[in-house]
Amino acid sequence: MSLQVALLLLLRCLASAWAQYELCKSLVSTDEGSVWEHYACQPKPAAMKDYMRIKVDPPGITCGNPPERFCTLENPYLCSDECDASNPDLAHPPQLMQDRERNGLITYWQTVTWRRHPEPLLANITLSWNKTLELTDDLHITFEYGRPTIMVLDKSMDHGRTWQPYQYYADDCLDNFNMQPKRVRDLSPTNITRVICTEQYSRWVGSKNEKNVKFEVRARFAVFAGARLQQMDNLYTRMESMKGLRDFFTFTNLRLRLLRPALGGTYVQRDNLLKYFYAISNIDVPARCKCNLHASQCLLVDGNLQCQCEHNTTGQDCQRCKKGFKAKSWKAGSFLPTPNGTPNTCAIAGSPSGSIVEDETVSGIRDENPHGRLDHAEPDTQGQRRTPGAPREERTLPMM
Ligand SMILES: [Ca+2]
């Protein structure tokens, strides 16, 4: 095999590992003419920080009203910095956690200092999308001036009505949460969805050395898909068979509960409380819209993310059949069989078999009636049932 061919094969392998389930349908030529084949599909991952709404609690937690001075842990006696909400150059409002920083200028949200010590300095950051999403890579939170020594990441799957802990972070897990410290790499395929407490991101290493706190998604995927995520088929197969695996990565809201700021040492210096506070410059949420494998696009419609549903489904998450297509009860698409999955298309009312095209095309078994797939070729609203000679569906750019 020539090097060129080997390289091409490698590229194709990589491309197929990453570009799976991107297409909801394509026009294929068969003996009976051109027909649409439908597949399980999902939108591409996107930078969801661009779409999140941020709310910080309690009221008055953001610094600068009234203006106040603060010090730093590295140099606690140089307290020349000031936070002033009324001066744009000195203000640190919440939106600076999601802005696009330019020219290397770091912008950040900052809280009041711990001047009320020993009362705990508590701050909640609630991130909402008004849309069900699925994490596709690590969540990153960047702290300026040191990472919290105690923090909890919560998630909600029902738009903030109920919450559950997602991960605990502490410099001492046993002491603060009565949990044994763990790392994601300590987890096995059977307990990968366990909620852990980690000390990895809370210990003092200098505020400039390590600013990131992560919620690891990639390492969890890697347990099934291999270190370089090359066997994504294995992950998708597990998503179908392992109870709770998909839900583990699913959320509508996230919440950071900051419970104790960086101390820069082992104890709190009561004579200089102006050096204790939280400051976050960025929150990265790489995720995709959850569309139940019925859409390859997710767009902002009237300010909300909305799946562009295929397979005769509708709803924000394509969670029900379209009117007139309820002959078969709604079902999410399936990743199986790989590589194209099963679309579980909603069937048109009055369809004799209650099933159409997709079931046969995906499994590779032809309909016994050669015209069967066209018998129910009632055009749906997008006329996507049969368009002989039409070009292969063009994919538009994902939202990014
Ligand atoms: Ca920023």
Side-chain angles (χ1 to χ4, degrees):
M1 185 165 36
S2 78
L3 185 65
Q4 208 176 6
V5 172
L7 267 175
L8 269 175
L9 275 175
L10 179 71
L11 277 176
R12 280 190 66 170
C13 275
L14 287 174
S16 68
W18 284 105
Q20 251 180 315
Y21 306 108
E22 278 194 355
L23 213 55
C24 292
K25 59 178 189 275
S26 74
L27 201 61
V28 293
S29 300
T30 68
D31 294 346
E32 299 101 49
S34 299
V35 290
W36 285 109
E37 272 189 358
H38 291 235
Y39 318 111
C41 52
Q42 58 185 0
K44 281 186 180 169
M48 289 299 174
K49 89 164 183 180
D50 295 344
Y51 307 97
M52 70 188 175
R53 278 156 226 171
I54 304 181
K55 183 173 171 276
V56 295
D57 285 311
I61 189 68
T62 301
C63 68
N65 187 21
E68 65 176 315
R69 274 187 318 122
F70 61 94
C71 319
T72 65
L73 291 164
E74 262 85 8
N75 192 346
Y77 301 103
L78 189 71
C79 304
S80 51
D81 287 327
E82 194 184 8
C83 176
D84 181 351
S86 65
N87 178 343
D89 291 334
L90 300 174
H92 294 280
Q95 64 263 31
L96 298 184
M97 290 186 267
Q98 70 181 138
D99 61 336
R100 298 199 170 200
E101 294 170 358
R102 288 176 215 284
N103 310 323
L105 184 74
I106 296 173
T107 58
Y108 50 91
W109 168 72
Q110 187 175 321
T111 68
V112 294
T113 59
W114 203 358
R115 54 183 184 237
R116 288 192 189 155
H117 180 274
E119 198 182 302
L121 180 63
L122 305 178
N124 283 349
I125 304 158
T126 309
L127 311 173
S128 311
W129 286 268
N130 201 16
K131 172 79 189 79
T132 314
L133 305 175
E134 295 168 330
L135 284 173
T136 53
D137 210 330
D138 298 347
L139 194 74
H140 277 263
I141 306 129
T142 311
F143 287 88
E144 306 297 323
Y145 301 102
R147 303 175 295 182
T149 46
I150 315 177
M151 176 181 118
V152 183
L153 172 67
D154 295 324
K155 75 162 181 173
S156 171
M157 294 174 75
D158 55 11
H159 301 277
R161 277 184 285 281
T162 61
W163 292 89
Q164 50 193 290
Y166 214 2
Q167 191 150 300
Y168 295 89
Y169 301 84
D171 54 358
D172 189 328
C173 283
L174 212 51
D175 198 30
N176 292 301
F177 294 115
N178 199 22
M179 292 170 83
Q180 287 291 340
K182 287 242 181 303
R183 287 178 176 228
V184 172
R185 67 170 184 230
D186 300 329
L187 299 175
S188 66
T190 51
N191 66 6
I192 197 72
T193 61
R194 209 166 128 180
V195 174
I196 59 167
C197 179
T198 181
E199 295 178 351
Q200 209 177 343
Y201 305 106
S202 310
R203 292 204 160 140
W204 177 251
V205 288
S207 69
K208 299 285 173 276
N209 293 337
E210 198 42 90
K211 296 176 167 192
N212 267 321
V213 173
K214 278 204 275 182
F215 176 79
E216 288 123 321
V217 171
R218 189 167 272 260
R220 284 177 167 96
F221 284 176
V223 167
F224 303 112
R228 301 174 72 181
L229 303 188
Q230 276 172 314
Q231 293 108 46
M232 287 299 275
D233 275 6
N234 287 348
L235 174 67
Y236 290 128
T237 302
R238 291 289 190 133
M239 289 277 192
E240 293 292 342
S241 63
M242 190 176 154
K243 197 174 176 310
L245 185 61
R246 285 202 81 171
D247 279 353
F248 183 78
F249 299 103
T250 303
F251 62 98
T252 55
N253 311 60
L254 295 170
R255 182 171 67 190
L256 291 169
R257 280 190 282 140
L258 311 179
L259 303 177
R260 193 176 66 196
L263 304 183
T266 46
Y267 63 97
V268 178
Q269 256 187 317
R270 287 161 171 254
D271 59 348
N272 190 352
L273 295 170
L274 301 188
K275 62 178 178 172
Y276 304 116
F277 54 89
Y278 308 101
I280 297 180
S281 57
N282 191 45
I283 301 179
D284 271 330
V285 186
R288 64 162 54 96
C289 289
K290 179 187 170 81
C291 301
N292 288 299
L293 295 180
H294 288 312
S296 61
Q297 300 280 318
C298 185
L299 303 174
L300 210 53
V301 179
D302 299 329
N304 283 316
L305 290 168
Q306 163 74 54
C307 298
Q308 303 299 294
C309 301
E310 300 273 356
H311 308 154
N312 305 323
T313 61
T314 188
Q316 199 186 22
D317 305 343
C318 311
Q319 74 279 25
R320 57 179 189 271
C321 291
K322 266 192 339 206
K323 208 177 163 201
F325 292 87
K326 295 176 181 167
K328 216 164 57 167
S329 61
W330 179 91
K331 230 175 137 181
S334 167
F335 287 120
L336 298 178
T338 58
N340 289 328
T342 311
N344 291 327
T345 301
C346 289
I348 191 161
S351 144
S353 65
S355 74
I356 40 174
V357 192
E358 296 69 29
D359 294 329
E360 303 93 55
T361 50
V362 165
S363 59
I365 303 164
R366 286 294 183 75
D367 197 314
E368 283 174 13
N369 166 7
H371 305 292
R373 68 183 63 192
L374 300 177
D375 285 346
H376 341 290
E378 244 357 277
D380 65 18
T381 49
Q382 281 152 6
Q384 57 190 221
R385 190 92 331 230
R386 186 184 183 206
T387 322
R392 194 177 158 87
E393 186 200 35
E394 273 187 9
R395 277 186 290 113
T396 47
L397 286 171
M399 48 159 214
M400 280 299 265

